Each structure stands twice: as structure tokens, then as C-alpha cells.
Amino acid sequence: MQGDTTTNGEPQLSEVEKFILSSSEELAFPPTEWETETLAEVLALPRVVVTRPPEDDLLKIGMRRNDCHANCAAQVANDIEGRSRHVSGWYISGSDLILHSIVEIDGQWFCLTPQIAKASPRFEFIPDPAIECKFPPMARRETHIDPGASFLKRFESIPKGTSKCATVFAH
């Protein structure tokens, strides 16, 4: 049927194309009052600026692409000093909010998830205290993150009095 047209010259759609079009039209409806109110509540929450370490560094310590919740949980599980905190909330992508997890370490915010597409090294994030990612009790995940190479190990070699962020993320 490819290349066929309707009587008015429009391309004729396959059954799959018709299904996709009708499904997307069913999803294109105005937001409910509850959705509008919830969005306003989320957008009113405080924002933080998150830094992405170099992708190569994240991959070397075993962080997985697009697996933010597990990456953050593994960092917390491997942090024997207990300095890491898993924080869930909202990554702002244009007019969309995407559920995301980051870690807070000593008052600094980090995204530990390598991205498939090139991503900005810093971005705004909305921590949402109403969201809590729960994982089954985790032992150190040596197959995922080598405890000797966890993200926090990068902080140990920083001379005292130096900005951690500037030193850790210098190429």
C-alpha cells in the first residue's frame, strides 16, 4: 500500500499508522484540575543546580546509562562513610518534568547517570520530598560499582582548602 493515496490526494495510512494516530489523539486531552494543581505544587518546590561528572569517570566506576535510581542506590550502598544521600525528584526538560534520581554529597548535588545523548554538565533539578525510591536491602554491588572506585573515592585525593567541585570535575 506504500505510495497509495486517498481520493483527495492524501497519502493512505497503513493500519499501524492509523492505530498510532488514533492512540496519540486519545492521549491529547487537556490536563485535569488535579494534574494542573500537582504541576503547580512541584514547580513551586525549591530547585538545586546539579553537576554531571565526566561520563568516562562514571562509566569507569560502573554507573549504567539511563539507570539513575539504581546508580544512586548503589552509590549510597557503597559509601562506607555515609556521606551520600539518594534524592529523587524532577529533571526539567523544556516543559516536561522527568522523574530522576541524583545524590547529595556534603551539600553538593551530583547526577551519576551517563546519558546516551550529549547532556549539559549542569542542570536544574527539583528535589521532591514526597518521592522516596526504595530498593531491597543492598549489599555492596561489586558487580555494579567497585567499592574501591566509588564516586566518593575521587574526593579523598583533593588537597584541603580546594574547591571540591572544581577539582573533581577538572578534565
Side-chain angles (χ1 to χ4, degrees):
M1 287 243 150
Q2 199 167 13
D4 289 349
T5 58
T6 61
T7 55
N8 65 0
E10 296 286 320
Q12 189 164 350
L13 301 176
S14 71
E15 289 305 310
V16 171
E17 291 168 321
K18 289 177 187 174
F19 174 75
I20 291 170
L21 187 58
S22 107
S23 295
S24 63
E25 288 170 350
E26 288 175 16
L27 295 174
F29 49 85
T32 65
E33 184 178 333
W34 176 84
E35 290 169 322
T36 302
E37 289 170 2
T38 301
L39 178 62
E41 285 177 29
V42 169
L43 292 175
L45 293 171
R47 298 174 185 203
V48 297
V49 176
V50 176
T51 301
R52 276 193 179 95
E55 183 176 281
D56 290 345
D57 291 347
L58 296 174
L59 293 170
K60 282 179 193 169
I61 62 169
M63 297 299 175
R64 297 178 186 149
R65 293 186 193 283
N66 299 330
D67 201 1
C68 63
H69 310 300
N71 287 343
C72 293
Q75 171 60 37
V76 170
N78 283 283
D79 179 3
I80 57 174
E81 296 174 12
R83 294 167 43 202
S84 300
R85 183 173 67 98
H86 184 162
V87 179
S88 296
W90 305 100
Y91 170 76
I92 305 161
S93 177
S95 63
D96 296 328
L97 297 178
I98 300 168
L99 180 63
H100 190 54
S101 282
I102 61 169
V103 292
E104 183 266 327
I105 303 172
D106 296 336
Q108 295 183 42
W109 306 88
F110 300 101
C111 176
L112 301 182
T113 305
Q115 303 297 302
I116 290 175
K118 180 132 177 80
S120 171
R122 294 171 61 85
F123 62 90
E124 280 192 346
F125 178 80
I126 303 172
D128 192 333
I131 301 171
E132 182 181 354
C133 280
K134 291 192 174 187
F135 288 84
M138 291 178 87
R140 283 192 174 65
R141 292 171 55 180
E142 276 112 44
T143 56
H144 180 55
I145 296 178
D146 175 2
S150 80
F151 181 72
L152 285 175
K153 290 290 183 186
R154 306 238 337 152
F155 284 113
E156 293 175 0
S157 63
I158 299 169
K160 291 200 183 303
T162 313
S163 166
K164 290 179 182 177
C165 196
T167 304
V168 170
F169 302 115
H171 286 278

